Amino acid sequence: MACAAVPSEDGSEYVLDGVKLWTTNGVIAELVVVMAVVPSRGLDEKGRKTGGITAFVVEADSAGITVEHRNKFMGLRGIENGVTRFHQVRVPAANRLGREGQGLKIALTTLNTGRLSIPAMAAGAAKWSLKIAREWSNARTQWGHPVGQHEAVGKKLAFLAATTFALEAVFELSAALADAGMKDVRIEAALAKLWSSEMSYKCADELVQIRGGRGYETAESLAARGERAVPAEQLLRDLRINRIFEGSTEIMHLLIAREAVDAHLAAAGDLASTTATLQQKGKAAMAASGFYARWLPQLMVGKGLDPRSYNEFGSLAKHLRYVERESRKLARQTFYGMGRWQGKLEYKQAFLGRIVDIGAELFAIAACCSRAEMLRLNDPAEGRSALKLADAFAAQSRLRVEALFNELWHNTDDSDKSLSEELQAGDFVWLEQGIIDVSEGTGPWIADATPGPSEHENLHRKYR
Ligand SMILES: Cc1cc2nc3c(=O)[nH]c(=O)nc-3n(C[C@H](O)[C@H](O)[C@H](O)COP(=O)(O)OP(=O)(O)OC[C@H]3O[C@@H](n4cnc5c(N)ncnc54)[C@H](O)[C@@H]3O)c2cc1C
């Protein structure tokens, strides 16, 4: 957070200084919401803390705002995203959103529902991938058969169909929870964003593969030589960013894992601390044993063990029982991880990433069963077809879940850590020899973003 907002003496306005990178729509927006750090001035007249990260609504044509550059990307070529500089920009105090210090909360709360736009795009992208893949697989004949009839391609089609159904189910469920006013959709929105961005990218990748050379060719080039203008490579490029922005996959893993682990850290108290004395640990162990004496038995038995449970879901009941059983297993494995690494668990990112990925798959299976049942109730014919897709998805997803559970304890995490440390220390620089680094000498890794007047063009004025 490199932007600062300093209040004027009479408190009627703030002066903004700083540079913001990657401001989506910043190039053309008339109003921008800016988060900036206000310096602390102790307590206000009501005894509340002043200062901290604060949100402001700022008119983009205010004096001192320069859009210096329009960024260009691998995909999303239509996006108006730039570098926006604020130099001594005067913002009326009335334009502050909430109180001083509430900016981060406002930003993160907005992200919860904002993140759901990605699962929506992901579901749409998968539907289009499925359509093109199906039509093309019938149209293209190789070795005497339409390519879809070759098993290698057929399996991709089955993955696309099942995953598209699941992507829509996950999105619809998460969005319905948000629309229903569920107070805290943090976990659902985060899981939906994480899982959808990864799976829709896989769908687009499979589409490119099924299209063969034409998958790699641009729509413009295809059209220029008289073929249907299918922008499969564009879809892949456009979807790639979803794994990075609105919370990268790595950060989403940590954010979601923290929700699971925090309960344990709170229960364990000093037991998980690396600095606590033996006496403190002993005391904490007594307190934790009370918590776990109640908590652990709940994880041993549950509805998933009863073969009659969830029978209202017909043949999908077995998948819901599986979700229930594996959810308890997931909680137990998290607990074992806690026992093994204690307070250091938060640094076991690979372990936590797998825990979260299992949770996301289980969430997707449950969403599929629920959506298939809803569709059946609305239209029995469509319901039968949906049931087939939900069943297929659950079967595919269960294989991923099993593999992830296995990898929790059988993996190369320790040797990878050591290899990565040696790599970063420069031990394998010899391996990089024999190439030309085209980026070498072209500039610093990160540009200087020191506040000050702009020396660049104001793209914002140019656009308007
Ligand atoms: C097209 C586009 C539009 C954007 N629009 C906006 C916008 O409108 N507003 C806005 O504020 N931002 C915007 N961004 C910025 C975007 O949100 C960030 O790029 C994104 O959050 C990742 O941050 P970073 O680039 O600084 O990556 P870095 O933080 O530099 O991360 C580099 C790598 O390290 C990983 N990593 C980082 N920290 C950890 C950690 N603690 N543990 C494990 N792994 C870690 C990351 O996942 C990533 O793989 C946009 C970016 C792009 C490309």
Side-chain angles (χ1 to χ4, degrees):
M1 181 70 55
C3 233
V6 178
S8 60
E9 283 221 340
D10 65 357
S12 66
E13 59 183 14
Y14 290 82
V15 178
L16 272 179
D17 268 296
V19 185
K20 291 275 182 190
L21 176 59
W22 293 315
T23 52
T24 296
N25 286 333
V27 178
I28 51 166
E30 291 172 6
L31 284 178
V32 292
V33 177
V34 183
M35 309 290 164
V37 179
V38 176
S40 170
R41 293 144 358 261
L43 301 178
D44 68 8
E45 66 283 358
K46 289 187 179 151
R48 295 179 304 211
K49 274 191 197 160
T50 58
I53 297 175
T54 307
F56 299 92
V57 177
V58 183
E59 301 202 24
D61 58 3
S62 309
I65 299 186
T66 322
V67 179
E68 299 190 325
H69 176 66
R70 182 182 182 239
N71 301 320
K72 296 193 181 100
F73 302 102
M74 171 184 182
L76 299 191
R77 303 233 169 125
I79 199 174
E80 296 293 353
N81 176 292
V83 178
T84 307
R85 180 175 290 267
F86 300 84
H87 177 60
Q88 306 271 297
V89 179
R90 309 185 92 80
V91 182
N95 287 19
R96 195 185 63 219
L97 287 175
R99 290 202 310 273
E100 284 184 14
Q102 287 188 323
L104 186 63
K105 194 173 173 204
I106 290 172
L108 294 179
T109 312
T110 315
L111 264 179
N112 282 340
T113 41
R115 276 197 183 117
L116 289 177
S117 62
I118 288 181
M121 282 186 268
K127 278 171 182 275
W128 184 78
S129 304
L130 181 66
K131 176 179 186 290
I132 299 292
R134 176 181 56 78
E135 291 174 356
W136 166 252
S137 305
N138 280 325
R140 174 69 165 168
T141 296
Q142 284 290 48
W143 294 32
H145 296 285
V147 286
Q149 287 180 18
H150 296 297
E151 192 183 38
V153 178
K155 272 194 80 73
K156 294 186 200 306
L157 293 174
F159 168 80
L160 276 172
T163 309
T164 299
F165 181 75
L167 281 164
E168 186 163 39
V170 163
F171 164 62
E172 289 287 354
L173 178 61
S174 317
L177 292 173
D179 285 347
M182 187 169 137
K183 234 175 154 190
D184 184 0
V185 288
R186 254 178 321 168
I187 302 291
E188 289 77 4
L191 278 176
K193 190 271 166 190
L194 165 75
W195 189 80
S196 303
S197 58
E198 291 291 333
M199 296 307 272
S200 57
Y201 186 73
K202 281 200 176 93
C203 288
D205 190 42
E206 294 295 31
L207 170 65
V208 168
Q209 193 69 19
I210 292 172
R211 285 273 294 156
R214 287 170 179 80
Y216 195 69
E217 190 170 356
T218 66
E220 199 185 5
S221 173
L222 287 162
R225 55 182 191 77
E227 289 197 5
R228 193 165 155 183
V230 181
E233 58 79 35
Q234 183 194 336
L235 184 73
L236 191 66
R237 286 189 284 105
D238 284 349
L239 288 177
R240 185 62 184 81
I241 187 61
N242 291 342
R243 297 165 59 199
I244 297 172
F245 67 11
E246 300 276 318
S248 69
T249 288
E250 293 74 20
I251 296 299
M252 299 313 282
H253 276 153
L254 298 184
L255 185 135
I256 299 163
R258 177 173 290 177
E259 298 287 334
V261 170
D262 268 5
H264 293 288
L265 288 176
D270 278 339
L271 203 56
S273 160
T274 43
T275 52
T277 61
L278 260 180
Q279 203 179 13
Q280 286 167 323
K281 283 198 182 248
K283 224 169 142 192
M286 291 292 287
S289 61
F291 169 81
Y292 288 114
R294 288 186 304 277
W295 186 76
L296 266 176
Q298 292 171 21
L299 297 181
M300 296 303 170
V301 283
K303 269 175 89 173
L305 292 172
D306 176 356
R308 289 157 307 173
S309 62
Y310 304 107
N311 269 350
E312 63 274 29
F313 285 87
S315 63
L316 294 176
K318 60 179 180 293
H319 299 308
L320 288 167
R321 289 197 289 271
Y322 173 81
V323 169
E324 198 278 338
R325 288 195 307 273
E326 299 310 289
S327 300
R328 281 185 287 106
K329 181 173 166 185
L330 183 62
R332 290 198 303 269
Q333 301 285 325
T334 311
F335 171 70
Y336 300 149
M338 182 73 206
R340 176 152 171 195
W341 293 295
Q342 301 182 11
K344 291 193 187 117
L345 179 61
E346 67 173 304
Y347 304 110
K348 301 298 291 179
Q349 292 191 349
F351 178 87
L352 294 176
R354 292 181 195 109
I355 291 279
V356 170
D357 286 342
I358 294 170
E361 292 285 351
L362 296 178
F363 179 51
I365 298 177
C368 281
C369 296
S370 149
R371 183 162 182 79
E373 178 60 8
M374 186 199 77
L375 293 173
R376 188 188 67 80
L377 291 175
N378 287 346
D379 175 354
E382 193 175 278
R384 271 191 295 281
S385 183
L387 193 137
K388 171 116 194 166
L389 290 169
D391 200 37
F393 176 77
Q396 293 174 11
S397 173
R398 283 168 75 148
L399 288 180
R400 291 192 288 268
V401 169
E402 300 312 317
L404 284 163
F405 267 127
N406 183 46
E407 280 171 36
L408 280 178
W409 306 106
H410 303 99
N411 53 58
T412 55
D413 293 353
D414 290 341
S415 57
D416 289 346
K417 183 168 185 281
S418 131
L419 180 63
S420 145
E421 281 167 3
E422 288 167 18
L423 174 86
Q424 289 171 80
D427 287 6
F428 307 110
V429 171
W430 58 266
L431 188 60
E432 299 157 10
Q433 283 163 10
I435 51 141
I436 297 165
D437 176 3
V438 290
S439 72
E440 208 166 86
T442 53
W445 290 104
I446 295 173
D448 183 17
T450 324
S454 178
E455 293 164 9
H456 300 272
E457 194 177 8
N458 189 332
L459 275 176
H460 185 256
R461 284 202 197 106
K462 195 166 121 185
Y463 267 79
R464 294 177 72 201

